[in-house]
Amino acid sequence: MKNLPSNVSRAKYDFIDSSVVEKLESYLPKLTSDLEKIPAQDPYSLNGQKLRLNFIRQQLKIDVDYLSGKKKFDDNESLKGNIENYIGMSQIPTGIIGPILINGSVAQGPFYVPLATTEGALLASYNRGSKACRESGAITVITLQEGVQRTPTFKFKNLIDLGKFTAWVLKHKEIFVSITREASNYAILNDLSISIEGNILILRFEYTSGDASGQNMVTICSDKICKYILENCPIEPVFWTIEGNTSGDKKATSLVTRVRGRKVTAEITLKKEVVDSVLKTTPALLQQQWKICSSGPAKTGTIGTGMHPSNALAALFIACGQDVACTGEASTAITRMEIDENGDLYCSITMPNIIVGTVGGGTSFPTQKECLELMGCYGAGKSGKLAEIATALCLAGEISILAAMSAGQFTAAHQTLGR
């Protein structure tokens, strides 16, 4: 399938389509009482494991033979492109939480989410946050922007040469769109921005990458564009590189108003009685804890106000075959909590760098494929759903950890469930 038309000169901004609003307004979630609960008994026994595996098979209609250990991976040829010097598989315990109830622009319904971790108390916390959210309604989740970047960087003798080079580049943007189409069936070049620092020029190519996370895809496309530029532009740079380390790849950056992967925002209003019964705290205490913890990052120069989105993302990424190093940028988050006129607690999270894929990379390995299938997120057309589930998961985790701290439960929970 050849990719869709591109408009490389379009303005970049957050946007909610009217069809998304209609979809969100028409969603009728299941009653909480109708949602099946994950068996929680015997957490550390073979019997408990079997109960949860049977739950997955019966309720979700998914076979998890590789996750359960019934089948073993032996297709060494499939490792090509994923690892070198292979010696075996690192086994990381994988659990499941939920259901987390989502009303999203792509993801809608109750989702049971697999998480791989060795950190005790983690799944219990996310499970509790999910419970508090679904007993208050569905988490509303909307994808606002998409884009994956590569930032080739060029050095010149002086600013005059740089200026001539830049002027030539800007006249050929539509050719770059065509080169992208030829280089990839899925990548679409949608934005080209310029940054100048003395005799250094940074080109910021931004693409959409279909259902792949896209880092390799955009590297290949950008390399072909740069080689066309070098072969045809009358001004030669002194030096150039495919990446000047300004794209935000695998690291947190200050560009939280833009996007890397998908920019997603989520919200839930927690009922005050649910805050009391499930989270064992009050809206006032929870809001106060958030205020303290959201001002702390400003004092320390931290990017974002999230408490631990990286916990959710690392566990989800490992389970689902994502590039785990991308938690570096993906965990950037802005959170907010406010008591409304009814005394309930409004909670939101905005994550501008959710970079995930449901094809390619490690997604097709047996256990990773099974984990994606648990959420209906394996294969083409599913990456947007995975991004929205990931964001809702992070919101549930922020709610639970802040609640635990506000009620003085945080230390006790880790003493009981942690290492």
Side-chain angles (χ1 to χ4, degrees):
M1 180 184 72
K2 280 293 178 183
N3 41 29
L4 299 172
S6 163
N7 184 355
V8 76
S9 301
R10 68 183 175 88
K12 290 289 295 180
Y13 52 85
D14 295 344
F15 182 69
I16 302 175
D17 189 86
S18 59
S19 62
V20 170
V21 175
E22 292 173 5
K23 180 178 180 180
L24 296 172
E25 288 184 326
S26 63
Y27 177 61
L28 295 174
K30 286 185 178 181
L31 295 174
T32 302
S33 57
D34 294 334
L35 296 173
E36 297 292 336
K37 308 299 189 299
I38 300 167
Q41 59 265 50
D42 297 336
Y44 309 114
S45 74
L46 179 60
N47 179 62
Q49 180 189 10
K50 288 180 177 178
L51 287 172
R52 285 178 281 281
L53 288 171
N54 286 335
F55 170 85
I56 290 170
R57 294 184 181 107
Q58 293 169 11
Q59 297 298 327
L60 305 182
K61 310 301 181 187
I62 299 292
D63 288 326
V64 285
D65 291 343
Y66 286 97
L67 270 172
S68 66
K70 184 178 178 180
K71 291 183 179 179
K72 302 295 183 183
F73 174 81
D74 60 3
D75 184 12
N76 287 35
E77 287 295 320
S78 68
L79 294 165
K80 185 178 181 180
N82 289 98
I83 194 169
E84 299 76 44
N85 300 339
Y86 174 70
I87 59 171
M89 293 286 185
S90 298
Q91 293 184 310
I92 300 176
T94 302
I96 189 169
I97 64 105
I100 185 166
L101 189 58
I102 300 174
N103 180 19
S105 51
V106 183
Q108 279 193 331
F111 295 93
Y112 298 87
V113 183
L115 300 173
T117 184
T118 57
E119 182 179 347
L122 188 69
L123 270 77
S125 180
Y126 281 91
N127 208 39
R128 184 176 77 143
S130 299
K131 180 180 180 181
C133 289
R134 72 173 177 265
E135 291 195 4
S136 297
I139 300 174
T140 301
V141 191
I142 300 177
T143 300
L144 302 171
Q145 286 192 49
E146 293 184 40
V148 184
Q149 299 75 26
R150 191 54 69 209
T151 53
T153 301
F154 302 81
K155 181 179 179 180
F156 297 87
K157 292 180 181 179
N158 51 53
L159 274 168
I160 294 174
D161 282 356
L162 183 151
K164 292 177 180 178
F165 183 91
T166 303
W168 187 92
V169 165
L170 291 175
K171 291 177 182 177
H172 293 79
K173 290 190 290 186
E174 293 304 325
I175 293 178
F176 305 157
V177 171
S178 298
I179 293 172
T180 302
R181 290 197 186 105
E182 293 171 1
S184 171
N185 287 336
Y186 301 100
I188 304 172
L189 178 62
N190 282 321
D191 194 33
L192 167 60
S193 63
I194 302 288
S195 179
I196 297 171
E197 299 170 4
N199 64 345
I200 298 292
L201 168 68
I202 302 168
L203 297 180
R204 187 176 187 269
F205 294 115
E206 181 170 295
Y207 309 79
T208 53
S209 57
D211 286 294
S213 58
Q215 295 98 316
N216 290 340
M217 188 186 298
V218 304
T219 300
I220 292 168
C221 292
S222 297
D223 187 69
K224 289 186 179 296
I225 292 171
C226 288
K227 286 176 178 176
Y228 173 85
I229 292 172
L230 294 169
E231 290 170 1
N232 293 277
C233 182
I235 307 298
E236 292 187 15
V238 174
F239 174 82
W240 84 281
T241 177
I242 190 62
E243 176 57 56
N245 204 18
T246 56
S247 65
D249 193 353
K250 297 178 173 64
K251 59 190 68 67
T253 71
S254 60
L255 298 173
V256 294
T257 57
R258 292 296 295 266
V259 61
R260 180 166 174 78
R262 285 175 171 83
K263 182 177 181 181
V264 187
T265 191
E267 66 175 8
I268 184 75
T269 298
L270 297 176
K271 298 174 182 177
K272 53 182 179 290
E273 58 268 24
V274 172
V275 173
D276 175 63
S277 63
V278 177
L279 300 175
K280 311 302 180 185
T281 187
T282 67
L285 281 173
L286 191 42
Q287 182 190 39
Q288 185 62 37
Q289 182 71 43
W290 168 77
K291 285 182 178 179
I292 293 293
C293 290
S294 63
S295 63
K299 301 168 189 173
T300 58
T302 304
I303 298 173
T305 59
M307 291 292 293
H308 68 153
S310 55
N311 257 333
L313 295 174
L316 182 68
F317 282 15
I318 292 170
C320 296
Q322 306 300 300
D323 188 336
V324 183
C326 286
T327 56
E329 69 257 46
S331 58
T332 304
I334 303 297
T335 60
R336 190 152 55 87
M337 292 186 177
E338 296 177 1
I339 297 175
D340 68 14
E341 64 276 10
N342 299 316
D344 298 327
L345 188 68
Y346 174 85
C347 308
S348 72
I349 191 168
T350 301
M351 306 189 73
N353 303 322
I354 298 293
I355 185 160
V356 295
T358 54
V359 298
T363 61
S364 62
F365 288 127
T367 62
Q368 286 77 10
K369 180 181 178 182
E370 288 177 353
C371 285
L372 287 167
E373 287 175 337
L374 285 174
M375 300 176 288
C377 288
Y378 178 73
K382 304 295 177 63
S383 59
K385 180 194 286 188
L386 181 60
E388 293 189 355
I389 292 171
T391 305
L393 177 70
C394 289
L395 178 57
E398 296 298 286
I399 288 168
S400 186
I401 194 173
L402 289 168
M405 290 181 173
S406 74
Q409 306 161 340
F410 184 72
T411 303
H414 283 77
Q415 287 175 329
T416 302
L417 298 171
R419 293 186 277 274

